[in-house]
């Protein structure tokens, strides 16, 4: 028996401290579904912009795999077209000539074992020619039903493990990650048969947004907010993700998902966990994700009665957006005429832990609402003593801290100030910080940050298995409750802020929804 | 920046209080009395005494278009006469939505100082520095003399000193940098900023275990350059020594001559050549990077056999872009560590320094 001891790869001292431009090691990106919309609109432009920012290594390669027939040359042309149309920075022929060392394309079905042998041969060929480490990043830009099939085939072709200890193999999985708890668990099990958890990067593009990442910075890089960030000072929290768009050609997908799967299970519960989590011991992947999972686990489960009382779903009817008439959800293409899919969800969550006991978190999301706005509003308790009650301003507005995720990204603090004059009259004023005017460089797209992190191997901004399953546990209980309910789904006029029932949900606790 | 408006104003022979009044009123007057939201996040002073090229005011205005900042171009012209100044203000105001308060994005203030204002410019600048925010002083000329009031500068509000060591006499800066550090100012160098792609290139090279092994066991360092006093190689070699926790050895004119490694001294050999290269050598392995403007080309040889090549395109940056990068990224702690390594090497020379 061999007694050779594997030498642990030594850390590179020249990498230390290069925080102003983290660059991954040379790698090959393999995109399954490379001819699809996600690759076209997001992935290729993100790669191009990373290259312009000199955040990619000198040597990297792209291999596309999809059913659409392309030659390597046609695929390169397709990448060029994508960058021309969707890159945030203009296409430049000189820069594009350096875009990737090698670009290959495999036309195949995802369940075709021969395609994976062909892929393995291409990857080996690249390694033989470049003498570079065999680092492989697989990106599943396909419908979710193909995830287990692709993973299984990668495993069968021996592409799931690095060739040497110093190499790496990672896989990025797009949402939706399951459609309920059982399917998410099945998918996790399927992936884990082939990949270790540390190799799996589940993407939620919301976490790539600068303003979402700023929630952690705002909370934990500033000394003044965290002492107030608890049930003693915070009255309640409102999280709104409002879209003015309808289903926009995604009717068949959306009719199977609805707002709760499309928005709440992933994006909105991510926002809740970032807002409510305890400080992690370090800004490292598992430390951060441990704390996020604790929040999800502390959310009070819904009883059947709670679901009818503290969740509201709705469906948009026809109406007007920006002065133009728009159809109702049931009249959209690819929507079943008797669909009970939710295009609006509002709910009240309670987090049963020391910090948040008794503080309601109100969540609201929907399509065809009055305006596009994503924000988190933290309403503080009013001053304990009504010192000014005998003055011209008997009622004081509570302080509200608003984290604006999009558009008009920034932070606003509402507080009372004295109106100039001989009597004490108080008016609410706003103190605003605007992202757009406070920094010189434009923020990168979410996919740029997330792709780079996956290349580097930093999974802080990706969701872990237990995180996904905890979120599905909550959402699945609501879905089951809704499935049992036979009452009609409330409707709302396009261009409004949702059904009346949503107003009643929050009014029962003595509050009103904010107008973003 | 979309939907912005430039407001300009100038006057000659003002006194200090008149300038402060002007700074408070120029923009509201142009906006029919509306007071803008101030978005500036830093102050940048450009000390340009006696430097006419490049066009510093144009450069400052371009930086002001990018950065939400108050930029002060400080030009002491004459110490004679009354304490007066000639001033030109250009303010960039960003319009927001209809009915919303406009935002003062940046101001560029050209200050030609005369008399006592030229002599006591630090005192004069204090009320012009945005309080509570980072304030950079970009010193464009030869370093200040030994009598310079670093104590006054550091308490004036300037938190950062930025120099450009791309000069033959940059070693003259070392005493001043010591003073700035002693008064707790952050120090940055544009030449270090320009070295960024070479540092990343070497970080990438040493990802390869054979190159890393060569680095850790190197027996000599070779440098060629058209001008051997070129400061970038000094930062490169000092950075390596600092990263590896080794000591730098300087010769009498403060040029690195060796690195003291765990395995003994590694000599640094510098030669004049049309090509700019840096090389490390160990046990029949040579890793060389050829540095030119369009590319960085590296080859690692084992004997006569090339075992690794790495070519990278370089970004040519302008002075404005270099400064933009420093302002945008903030102080680089890595540079502080590298500078400390160099200063420690200078300390070990004792009193034998050439002036």
């Amino acid at each position: 028996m061999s007694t050779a001891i594997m030498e642990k790869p030594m850390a590179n001292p020249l990498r230390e401290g290069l925080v102003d431009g983290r660059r991954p090691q040379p790698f090959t990106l393999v995109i399954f579904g490379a001819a699809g919309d996600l690759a076209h609109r997001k992935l290729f432009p993100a790669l191009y912009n990373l290259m312009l920012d000199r955040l990619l290594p000198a040597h990297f390669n792209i291999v596309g795999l999809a059913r659409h027939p392309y030659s390597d040359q046609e695929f390169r042309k397709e990448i060029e077209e994508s960058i021309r149309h969707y890159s945030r920075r203009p296409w430049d022929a000189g820069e594009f000539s350096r875009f990737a060392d090698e670009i290959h394309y495999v036309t195949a079905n995802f369940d075709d074992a021969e395609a994976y042998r062909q892929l393995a041969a291409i990857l080996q060929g690249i390694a033989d020619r470049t003498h570079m480490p065999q680092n492989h990043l697989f990106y599943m830009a396909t419908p979710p039903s193909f995830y287990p099939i692709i993973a299984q085939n990668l495993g069968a072709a021996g592409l799931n493990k690095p060739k040497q200890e110093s190499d790496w193999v990672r896989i990025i999985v797009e949402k939706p990650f399951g459609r309920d708890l059982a399917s998410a668990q099945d998918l996790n099990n399927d992936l884990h048969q082939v990949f270790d958890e540390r190799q799996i990067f589940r993407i939620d593009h919301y976490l790539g947004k600068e303003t979402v990442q700023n929630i952690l910075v705002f909370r934990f890089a500033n000394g003044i907010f965290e002492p107030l960030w608890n049930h003693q000072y915070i009255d309640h929290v409102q999280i709104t993700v409002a879209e003015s768009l309808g289903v926009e050609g995604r009717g068949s997908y959306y009719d199977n998902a609805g707002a709760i799967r499309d928005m709440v299970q992933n994006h909105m519960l991510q926002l809740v966990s970032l807002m409510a989590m305890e400080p992690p011991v370090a800004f490292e992947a598992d430390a951060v994700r441990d704390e996020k999972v604790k929040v999800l686990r502390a959310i009070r489960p819904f009883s059947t009665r709670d679901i009818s009382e503290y969740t509201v779903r709705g469906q948009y009817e026809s109406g007007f957006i920006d002065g133009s008439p728009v159809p109702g959800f049931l009249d959209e293409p690819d929507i079943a005429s008797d669909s009970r899919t939710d295009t609006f969800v509002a709910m009240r969550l309670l987090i049963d832990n020391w910090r948040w006991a008794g503080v309601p978190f109100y969540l609201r999301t929907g399509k065809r609402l009055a305006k596009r706005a994503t924000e988190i509003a933290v309403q503080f308790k009013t001053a304990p003593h009504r010192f000014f009650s005998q003055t011209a301003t008997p009622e004081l507005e509570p302080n509200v801290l608003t984290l604006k995720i999009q558009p008009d990204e920034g932070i606003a603090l509402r507080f009372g100030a004295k109106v100039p004059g001989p009597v004490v009259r108080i008016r609410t004023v706003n103190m605003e910080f605007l992202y757009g005017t406070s920094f010189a460089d434009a923020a990168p797209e979410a996919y740029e940050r997330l792709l780079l992190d996956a290349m580097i191997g930093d999974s802080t901004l990706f969701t872990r298995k237990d995180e996904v399953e905890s979120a599905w546990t909550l959402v699945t209980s609501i879905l089951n409750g809704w499935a049992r309910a036979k009452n009609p789904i409330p409707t709302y006029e396009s261009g409004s802020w949702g059904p009346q029932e949503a107003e009643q949900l929050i009014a029962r606790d003595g509050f009103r929804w904010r107008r973003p | 920046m979309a939907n912005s408006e430039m407001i300009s104003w100038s006057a000659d022979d003002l006194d200090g209080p008149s300038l402060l009044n002007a700074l408070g009123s120029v923009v509201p007057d142009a906006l029919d009395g509306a007071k803008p939201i101030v978005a500036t996040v830093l102050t940048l002073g450009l000390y340009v005494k006696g430097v006419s090229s490049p066009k510093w005011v144009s450069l400052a205005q371009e930086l002001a278009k990018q950065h939400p900042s108050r930029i002060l171009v400080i030009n002491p012209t004459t110490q004679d006469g009354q304490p007066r100044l000639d001033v030109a203000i250009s303010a960039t105001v960003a319009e927001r939505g209809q009915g919303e308060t406009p935002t003062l994005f940046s101001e560029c203030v050209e200050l030609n100082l005369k008399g006592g204002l030229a002599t006591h410019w630090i005192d004069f600048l204090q009320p012009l520095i945005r309080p509570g925010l980072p304030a950079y002083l970009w010193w464009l000329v030869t370093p200040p003399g030994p009598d310079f009031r670093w104590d006054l500068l550091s308490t004036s509000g300037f938190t950062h000193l930025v120099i450009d060591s791309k000069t033959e006499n940059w070693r003259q800066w070392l005493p001043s940098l010591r003073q700035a550090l002693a008064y707790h100012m952050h120090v940055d160098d544009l030449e270090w900023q320009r070295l960024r792609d070479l540092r990343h290139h070497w970080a990438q090279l040493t990802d390869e275990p054979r190159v890393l092994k060569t680095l850790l066991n190197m027996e000599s360092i070779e440098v060629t350059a058209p001008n051997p006093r070129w400061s970038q190689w000094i930062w490169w070699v000092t950075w390596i020594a600092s990263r590896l926790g080794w000591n730098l050895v300087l010769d009498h004119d403060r040029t690195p001559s060796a690195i003291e490694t765990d395995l003994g001294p590694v000599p640094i050999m510098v030669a004049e050549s049309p090509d700019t290269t840096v090389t490390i050598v160990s046990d029949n392995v040579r890793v060389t990077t050829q540095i030119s403007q369009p590319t960085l080309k590296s080859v690692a040889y084992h004997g006569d056999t090339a075992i690794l090549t790495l070519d990278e395109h370089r970004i040519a940056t302008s002075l404005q872009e270099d400064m933009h990068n420093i302002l945008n990224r903030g102080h680089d702690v890595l540079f502080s560590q590298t500078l400390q390594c160099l200063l420690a090497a200078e300390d070990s020379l004792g009193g034998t320094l050439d002036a």
Side-chain angles (χ1 to χ4, degrees):
Chain A
M1 195 176 78
S2 168
T3 56
I5 298 170
M6 289 289 284
E7 193 178 334
K8 192 180 174 189
M10 182 178 288
N12 178 357
L14 299 190
R15 282 259 173 224
E16 287 172 30
L18 294 182
V19 290
D20 59 340
R22 306 174 306 154
R23 277 205 295 190
Q25 296 169 349
F27 69 98
T28 297
L29 174 65
V30 180
I31 304 174
F32 294 93
D37 207 41
L38 177 69
H40 199 72
R41 285 174 182 264
K42 297 291 182 188
L43 302 186
F44 301 137
L47 284 169
Y48 181 70
N49 282 290
L50 285 171
M51 186 199 69
L52 293 184
D53 286 332
R54 300 300 186 263
L55 293 172
L56 293 184
H59 297 291
F60 78 100
N61 313 283
I62 300 173
V63 182
L65 196 149
R67 285 171 291 190
H68 187 94
Y70 281 132
S71 65
D72 289 353
Q73 197 52 41
E74 286 167 337
F75 183 48
R76 175 176 271 275
K77 190 71 186 163
E78 187 61 24
I79 293 173
E80 180 187 321
E81 283 302 311
S82 138
I83 292 165
R84 281 179 186 275
H85 279 93
Y86 297 110
S87 168
R88 69 186 168 94
R89 283 181 293 205
W91 186 82
D92 179 291
E95 295 287 356
F96 186 69
S97 68
R98 290 186 293 276
F99 183 58
D101 291 355
E102 297 188 26
I103 294 179
H104 300 274
Y105 187 84
V106 179
T107 305
N109 288 321
F110 300 124
D111 57 359
D112 177 4
E114 177 53 33
Y116 294 83
R117 283 191 283 276
Q118 202 179 335
L119 175 61
I122 289 172
L123 295 175
Q124 189 58 51
I126 290 171
D128 293 344
R129 282 189 292 278
T130 62
H131 306 289
M132 283 292 158
Q134 295 201 52
N135 299 321
H136 300 147
L137 180 59
F138 298 111
Y139 200 117
M140 297 213 199
T142 68
S145 56
F146 290 112
Y147 297 168
I149 297 166
I150 294 169
Q152 195 178 26
N153 277 285
L154 285 171
L159 292 171
N160 58 327
K161 299 288 178 203
K163 293 275 186 281
Q164 297 180 44
E165 201 185 355
S166 55
D167 297 344
W168 50 260
V169 173
R170 299 179 190 131
I171 186 162
I172 299 179
V173 184
E174 269 287 337
K175 77 156 197 162
F177 201 85
R179 52 174 289 106
D180 54 22
L181 177 60
S183 59
Q185 287 171 327
D186 287 347
L187 184 50
N188 276 329
N189 290 338
D190 289 340
L191 289 177
H192 280 158
Q193 285 180 14
V194 184
F195 294 98
D196 298 334
E197 177 64 21
R198 64 182 171 80
Q199 292 179 282
I200 303 169
F201 289 68
R202 298 175 192 83
I203 225 167
D204 180 339
H205 75 269
Y206 247 55
L207 292 177
K209 289 179 182 287
E210 290 284 333
T211 41
V212 173
Q213 293 163 41
N214 192 48
I215 294 171
L216 290 185
V217 173
F218 180 81
R219 286 190 57 197
F220 300 129
N222 297 291
I224 64 167
F225 302 110
E226 204 49 29
L228 309 178
W229 216 256
N230 56 54
H231 67 96
Q232 290 186 51
Y233 297 97
I234 292 180
D235 197 38
H236 72 277
V237 178
Q238 294 186 22
I239 302 180
T240 300
V241 179
E243 296 177 278
S244 57
L245 294 174
V247 293
E248 309 298 314
R250 296 163 67 226
S252 55
Y253 158 73
Y254 199 86
D255 202 12
N256 277 309
I260 195 164
R261 288 190 180 95
D262 194 45
M263 282 288 175
V264 177
Q265 185 275 332
N266 37 66
H267 307 327
M268 295 192 81
L269 288 180
Q270 286 293 333
L271 295 180
V272 170
S273 58
L274 290 171
M275 286 296 287
M277 66 189 268
E278 295 298 319
V281 292
F283 191 61
E284 290 170 356
D286 278 332
V288 171
R289 295 187 299 183
D290 285 347
E291 298 304 333
K292 285 166 64 188
V293 170
K294 285 182 199 168
V295 173
L296 295 173
R297 287 183 181 154
I299 294 174
R300 184 181 298 176
F302 283 94
S303 67
T304 305
R305 185 177 162 190
D306 288 343
I307 289 170
S308 62
E309 208 160 322
Y310 295 115
T311 72
V312 169
R313 54 182 165 159
Q315 231 178 40
Y316 64 82
E317 293 183 322
S318 62
F320 288 84
I321 298 284
D322 295 330
S324 300
V326 294
F329 180 66
L330 297 181
D331 298 323
E332 298 271 18
D334 303 322
I335 302 295
S337 58
D338 59 348
S339 172
R340 288 174 64 82
T341 299
D342 46 294
T343 65
F344 176 95
V345 178
M347 64 178 67
R348 188 193 80 169
L349 301 179
L350 293 173
I351 299 172
D352 287 333
N353 64 15
W354 195 272
R355 184 190 285 258
W356 295 112
V359 179
F361 281 64
Y362 298 99
L363 276 57
R364 169 177 63 161
T365 182
K367 288 194 172 293
R368 289 280 190 235
L369 296 182
K371 67 185 272 196
R372 172 177 171 255
T374 299
E375 65 165 41
I376 303 166
V378 179
Q379 182 164 317
F380 290 87
K381 292 182 176 172
T382 48
H385 177 53
R386 296 192 174 189
F387 190 74
F388 297 105
S389 58
Q390 300 305 313
T391 69
T393 312
E395 289 297 323
L396 290 178
E397 293 283 327
N399 299 123
V400 177
L401 178 76
T402 309
L403 307 177
K404 299 177 182 180
I405 309 294
Q406 63 185 19
D408 302 328
E409 293 85 349
I411 295 169
L413 178 64
R414 188 176 81 177
F415 61 95
K418 182 180 175 299
V419 179
V423 297
V424 176
R425 182 176 287 120
I426 298 166
R427 185 191 291 169
T428 298
V429 295
N430 237 6
M431 192 157 67
E432 275 200 86
F433 151 75
L434 299 167
Y435 252 94
T437 54
S438 293
F439 297 105
D441 282 354
E445 290 282 331
Y447 274 92
E448 292 172 37
R449 170 64 193 265
L450 295 173
L451 269 173
L452 181 64
D453 280 5
M455 293 165 192
I456 290 167
D458 181 353
S459 53
T460 309
L461 300 179
F462 294 83
T463 47
R464 206 169 55 187
K465 172 182 179 288
D466 51 351
E467 210 175 341
V468 170
E469 293 180 4
S470 296
W472 271 123
T473 301
L474 178 77
V475 167
T476 303
S477 73
I478 299 171
L479 286 167
N480 291 342
W482 286 353
R484 284 193 293 272
K486 300 298 176 204
N487 53 323
I489 293 178
T491 57
Y492 59 98
E493 188 181 353
S494 287
S496 71
W497 281 102
Q500 271 303 313
E501 286 80 350
E503 303 295 333
Q504 291 157 8
L505 179 149
I506 196 168
R508 274 200 295 275
D509 294 345
F511 306 123
R512 294 180 61 191
W513 289 108
R514 258 176 59 82
R515 164 84 171 77
Chain B
M1 193 182 13
N3 302 325
S4 65
E5 179 189 356
M6 177 78 85
I7 295 167
S8 300
W9 182 89
S10 64
D12 289 346
D13 226 27
L14 291 184
D15 58 16
S18 304
L19 172 66
L20 285 175
N21 284 338
L23 276 171
S25 62
V26 164
V27 172
D29 287 353
L31 298 173
D32 298 328
K35 280 195 173 177
I37 294 172
V38 177
T40 55
V41 296
L42 59 90
T43 303
L44 169 65
L46 277 71
Y47 185 78
V48 301
K49 181 184 180 184
V51 187
S52 55
S53 175
K55 301 291 183 194
W56 298 113
V57 175
S58 307
L59 180 74
Q61 286 172 341
E62 287 303 312
L63 281 167
K65 283 181 191 167
Q66 287 181 295
H67 279 272
S69 52
R70 170 174 278 182
I71 300 186
L72 308 169
V73 181
I74 309 154
N75 185 20
T77 53
T78 172
Q79 295 185 357
D80 299 334
Q82 293 297 307
R84 290 282 188 274
L85 74 154
D86 302 337
V87 64
I89 299 172
S90 49
T92 306
V93 176
E95 291 171 14
R96 298 168 67 202
Q98 199 172 11
E100 294 203 58
T101 312
T103 301
L104 175 58
F105 180 76
S106 63
E107 300 158 292
C108 182
V109 186
E110 182 187 357
L111 303 161
N112 293 301
L113 308 173
K114 296 178 277 193
L117 294 184
T119 314
H120 302 289
W121 59 270
I122 297 176
D123 301 301
F124 165 70
L125 286 181
Q126 294 213 25
L128 304 183
I129 297 171
R130 291 268 184 219
L133 293 168
Y136 291 76
L137 180 62
W138 183 4
W139 196 290
L140 295 158
V141 288
T142 49
D147 298 333
F148 185 75
R149 294 288 304 275
W150 288 100
D151 57 335
L152 207 55
L153 184 73
S154 64
T155 54
S156 69
F158 280 115
T159 51
H160 294 66
L161 174 70
V162 182
I163 66 160
D164 190 350
S165 68
K166 194 181 181 181
T167 55
E168 287 249 341
N169 63 351
W170 77 271
R171 289 166 184 77
Q172 292 175 15
W173 263 109
L174 289 178
S176 295
L177 298 187
R178 280 182 187 277
Q179 289 291 316
L181 290 173
Y183 285 102
H184 307 293
M185 293 181 76
H186 293 302
V187 173
D188 285 288
D189 182 3
L190 292 171
E191 198 67 338
W192 172 262
Q193 181 63 39
R194 295 180 194 110
L195 195 68
R196 181 170 173 258
D197 53 5
L198 183 64
R199 287 186 283 121
H200 281 272
H201 185 81
W202 268 77
Q204 199 167 318
L205 277 174
T206 46
D207 279 336
E208 163 60 44
R210 288 169 297 185
V211 178
L212 180 57
K213 189 178 171 193
T214 306
L215 180 76
L216 297 174
N217 298 285
M218 62 185 173
E219 293 155 2
S220 65
I221 296 175
E222 297 166 10
V223 176
T224 68
N227 174 8
R229 295 179 72 87
W230 173 61
S231 64
Q232 279 197 357
W233 79 259
I234 296 173
W235 286 135
W236 173 78
V237 85
T238 311
W239 167 64
I240 286 178
S242 163
R243 285 296 86 213
L244 294 168
W246 293 335
N247 294 327
L248 193 69
V249 180
L250 301 182
D251 65 15
H252 66 283
D253 74 345
R254 299 176 195 153
T255 302
S257 59
I259 293 177
E260 284 286 355
T261 75
D262 300 340
L263 304 172
V266 172
I268 302 168
M269 288 159 285
V270 184
E272 196 170 327
S273 161
D275 294 329
T276 304
T277 62
V278 291
T279 301
I280 60 170
V281 181
S282 167
D283 192 23
N284 211 23
V285 178
R286 287 177 65 86
V287 186
T288 298
T289 300
Q290 185 162 21
I291 303 161
S292 62
Q293 186 37 58
T295 54
L296 294 169
K297 287 176 182 273
S298 289
V299 187
Y301 284 102
H302 185 265
D304 294 330
T305 308
I307 55 171
L308 179 81
T309 60
L310 182 64
D311 295 352
E312 283 194 280
H313 181 73
R314 299 185 79 188
I315 315 166
T317 53
S318 64
L319 191 59
Q320 180 191 325
E321 287 163 332
D322 294 333
M323 192 61 203
H324 166 79
N325 287 333
I326 283 188
L327 295 179
N328 213 29
R329 294 182 179 133
H331 171 63
D332 187 351
V333 177
L334 213 52
F335 177 67
S336 290
Q337 293 164 357
T338 305
L339 178 60
Q340 288 295 351
C341 183
L342 187 66
L343 294 176
E346 191 187 41
D347 286 341
S348 66
L349 288 173
T352 62
L353 300 180
D354 292 344

